[in-house]
Amino acid sequence: MGSRRNGYNKESFILSVDVGTTSIRCHVYDKEAQIRGSCTSKVVPLYPEVGHVEMDPDVLWKGFISVVKGAVQDAGVQMSQIEALGISTQRSTFTTWDRKTGVPFHNFISWQDQRAAELVKSWNRSCTMKVRQAIDEGNCCFGTIDTWLLFKLTKGRVHATDYSNASATGIFDSYQMCWSGFLCSLVSLPLSIFPKVENTGHNFGSTDPSIFGVSIPIMSVMADQQAAMFGECCFDVGDVKITMGTGTFMDINTGSKPHASVAGLYPLVGWKMGSEVVYLAEGNAADTGTAIKWAQELELFSDVQDTSAMAYSVDDSDGVCFVPSFSGLQAPLNDPRACASLMGLKPSTTKNHLVRSILESVAFRNKQLYETMLRETHIPITKIRVNGGVSSNDFVMQLTADLFGRKVVRPQHREMSCLGAAFVAGLEVGFWTTHEELKKLQSTDKVFLPKGIAKEGSNQEYNPVLQRWERALRRSMNWYKP
């Protein structure tokens, strides 16, 4: 494919960056959606106080620039061959900055931060005064990571976000498709500081040529879970994707209408392209990868790749139940005061039993989220695709398929957020043209078929184990007193 931007016959590529919780990844994609070059940089969170989680905006910016240059170099191509840039970011992590100077008033406040509504009160006095003064002068910008990056990449020309990122902030009205004046007033934030909300696929402007040597069109900005959904080609109502990384995020395509839930599913804008809006309903479990990393730090195993074989090496968990609740329990139980726990320990319990109980708990939480989704949305599930680091664990994936009573598909490439942002950017510039073309580019690593199923969602063999685990779950609830 020739480069339309430069007018000479060189192969062109799509560049995509995913700013995650633990790393920044950049990939260079060719026409077959194959990765031609990659670069990764670590994200180091800051913990100034208990419950506070922050990120340094300048460090994040330098990391972003570094991975873009590194991936293009790794691909052995020129910056001028990059047709478009797509950006996927972790959601709800925000900062405020001076519109004139671009200098942040404070660090990014992470989505993991526990200050929430008390945040404004806890900011130090001088910072709050600076922000208030900038607001009064019409000189304050509020933004999530995507908005900050757009502002920096365009040298302050663009203050914008997209609908998928806006809908995850908690102060956007997904029904009216605009910032909520009522919710903004509750947290004492004037509407004037918020970015303009654009389509997910949109020409957000081009990178300033001083940054990469050429101007690269920024053609997509997308929240990470919604980007993963797009990367998995979950374009149809009833399509489900499960991302299992630090936490588990289960999303279902609900079509053209947002879904209101009583059990903790969150209505999100998946993406808006042209006049089409696609909504998702999302449930999450916070401590998936966290629990496995904790077990590794306890030296229950040295290599995470060994855990599936360890779990399969024993017939059961010897009656041990693990409750993965380092951050409380999310949907459908919604108990922030629940504790993590191991119950049913015996002298006969081995490391293999403990590892199996931890992996089982991941699949059990998947089942809870899946059943909540079925019960709340009443939408027939059409397909289930998985991604994220924990999805590489065969034991977890097979047990998930067994408990769902459904086929579960794992793609070859696990980093779907990057791919989703690339797909959207590529569609915008005609690098790819249709959803059907994108589906043909998908490659499958493994298909997990349910075993020993009496009926969908009912695994007779595991029912007693699941019931025992649910008992352990109830005993772990309301542990920490307010």
Side-chain angles (χ1 to χ4, degrees):
M1 174 173 188
S3 174
R4 289 181 290 280
R5 279 205 298 129
N6 299 290
Y8 55 88
N9 191 27
K10 269 193 175 182
E11 189 179 4
S12 56
F13 303 91
I14 299 294
L15 187 72
S16 185
V17 185
D18 175 42
V19 182
T21 305
T22 58
S23 65
I24 306 174
R25 295 183 180 90
C26 182
H27 296 314
V28 177
Y29 292 96
D30 64 17
K31 195 79 166 65
E32 282 68 51
Q34 295 300 304
I35 296 172
R36 296 285 287 268
S38 297
C39 188
T40 302
S41 172
K42 279 190 176 180
V43 171
V44 181
L46 306 172
Y47 303 96
E49 293 180 39
V50 175
H52 296 197
V53 189
E54 301 180 359
M55 295 162 64
D56 185 319
D58 293 324
V59 171
L60 198 75
W61 168 245
K62 287 171 186 170
F64 185 94
I65 300 304
S66 166
V67 297
V68 168
K69 291 179 177 177
V72 172
Q73 184 178 9
D74 185 52
V77 303
Q78 303 295 315
M79 284 287 182
S80 58
Q81 291 174 260
I82 302 302
E83 189 92 355
L85 169 63
I87 300 173
S88 155
T89 57
Q90 57 177 279
R91 306 174 297 185
S92 306
T93 295
F94 74 92
T95 189
T96 57
W97 64 93
D98 187 298
R99 191 184 299 273
K100 290 178 183 172
T101 66
V103 176
F105 292 119
H106 53 88
N107 283 335
F108 274 107
I109 309 299
S110 167
W111 63 275
Q112 297 168 307
D113 195 285
Q114 295 175 10
R115 278 171 278 187
E118 295 299 309
L119 179 62
V120 177
K121 296 176 187 174
S122 68
W123 279 350
N124 69 65
R125 187 175 297 277
S126 62
C127 171
T128 306
M129 285 172 65
K130 284 182 195 171
V131 175
R132 180 53 57 192
Q133 184 180 348
I135 288 171
D136 292 342
E137 294 171 356
N139 199 27
C140 180
C141 291
F142 171 97
T144 43
I145 289 176
D146 58 300
T147 303
W148 163 252
L149 290 173
L150 282 173
F151 190 88
K152 294 282 283 182
L153 288 166
T154 60
K155 295 280 185 177
R157 292 191 303 275
V158 177
H159 182 220
T161 187
D162 93 299
Y163 286 99
S164 70
N165 275 292
S167 71
T169 60
I171 43 181
F172 183 83
D173 187 330
S174 295
Y175 294 85
Q176 300 295 322
M177 292 291 279
C178 63
W179 296 112
S180 168
F182 171 69
L183 292 172
C184 289
S185 67
L186 284 181
V187 289
S188 305
L189 294 173
L191 284 168
S192 61
I193 72 173
F194 285 87
K196 185 179 181 185
V197 186
E198 302 281 12
N199 279 8
T200 306
H202 174 74
N203 188 343
F204 286 90
S206 294
T207 63
D208 191 89
S210 66
I211 301 172
F212 300 122
V214 297
S215 289
I216 302 172
I218 306 164
M219 301 305 294
S220 75
V221 160
M222 208 167 189
D224 57 2
Q225 296 308 319
Q226 291 95 312
M229 191 81 169
F230 204 94
E232 290 276 28
C233 296
C234 291
F235 303 134
D236 303 317
V237 175
D239 285 354
V240 169
K241 77 91 187 142
I242 311 172
T243 299
M244 287 180 283
T246 306
T248 292
F249 293 88
M250 190 179 295
D251 296 82
I252 182 170
N253 184 324
T254 62
S256 58
K257 292 180 181 176
H259 170 75
S261 169
V262 294
L265 297 184
Y266 196 75
L268 293 167
V269 176
W271 50 85
K272 183 170 186 283
M273 300 181 70
S275 59
E276 183 196 35
V277 183
V278 171
Y279 289 95
L280 313 178
E282 180 177 283
N284 82 293
D287 293 311
T288 308
T290 311
I292 294 170
K293 188 180 178 191
W294 168 78
Q296 187 173 22
E297 287 172 353
L298 282 185
E299 298 183 354
L300 292 183
F301 54 88
S302 53
D303 188 341
V304 73
Q305 301 296 327
D306 298 337
T307 57
S308 185
M310 289 175 73
Y312 277 126
S313 74
V314 289
D315 292 334
D316 53 42
S317 64
D318 195 34
V320 175
C321 295
F322 177 72
V323 178
S325 180
F326 295 106
S327 309
L329 289 168
Q330 295 73 42
L333 299 166
N334 303 307
D335 181 5
R337 296 202 288 271
C339 69
S341 62
L342 270 168
M343 297 190 194
L345 296 170
K346 307 176 188 67
S348 57
T349 301
T350 65
K351 282 186 178 182
N352 291 346
H353 292 125
L354 293 176
V355 167
R356 182 170 176 129
S357 72
I358 290 166
L359 298 186
E360 283 178 342
S361 76
V362 173
F364 292 164
R365 282 294 282 131
N366 284 347
K367 180 177 170 63
Q368 281 190 324
L369 289 173
Y370 180 71
E371 288 186 338
T372 303
M373 206 159 262
L374 288 174
R375 190 169 59 247
E376 293 267 316
T377 65
H378 303 292
I379 295 173
I381 307 295
T382 47
K383 69 180 179 187
I384 302 168
R385 294 184 64 88
V386 295
N387 61 81
V390 179
S391 72
S392 63
N393 190 293
D394 283 5
F395 179 86
V396 172
M397 296 324 309
Q398 185 59 58
L399 182 53
T400 296
D402 291 349
L403 294 171
F404 287 10
R406 294 291 301 255
K407 177 174 78 173
V408 173
V409 179
R410 181 173 68 197
Q412 279 187 339
H413 299 299
R414 314 286 155 77
E415 293 175 17
M416 285 295 143
S417 296
C418 244
L419 183 60
F423 276 168
V424 174
L427 287 171
E428 285 299 304
V429 295
F431 192 81
W432 297 295
T433 53
T434 64
H435 285 178
E436 290 309 308
E437 182 185 0
L438 298 183
K439 286 180 181 178
K440 288 175 185 172
L441 297 174
Q442 285 187 313
S443 53
T444 297
D445 170 47
K446 192 165 182 178
V447 176
F448 296 89
L449 298 171
K451 298 173 182 173
I453 300 301
K455 60 179 181 177
E456 182 180 328
S458 171
N459 186 305
Q460 300 300 319
E461 176 194 346
Y462 251 94
N463 275 348
V465 185
L466 192 55
Q467 286 165 7
R468 184 168 59 238
W469 179 78
E470 287 170 346
R471 242 183 13 255
L473 209 60
R474 287 192 293 274
R475 293 193 179 194
S476 298
M477 292 177 71
N478 202 31
W479 179 264
Y480 298 109
K481 297 304 176 188

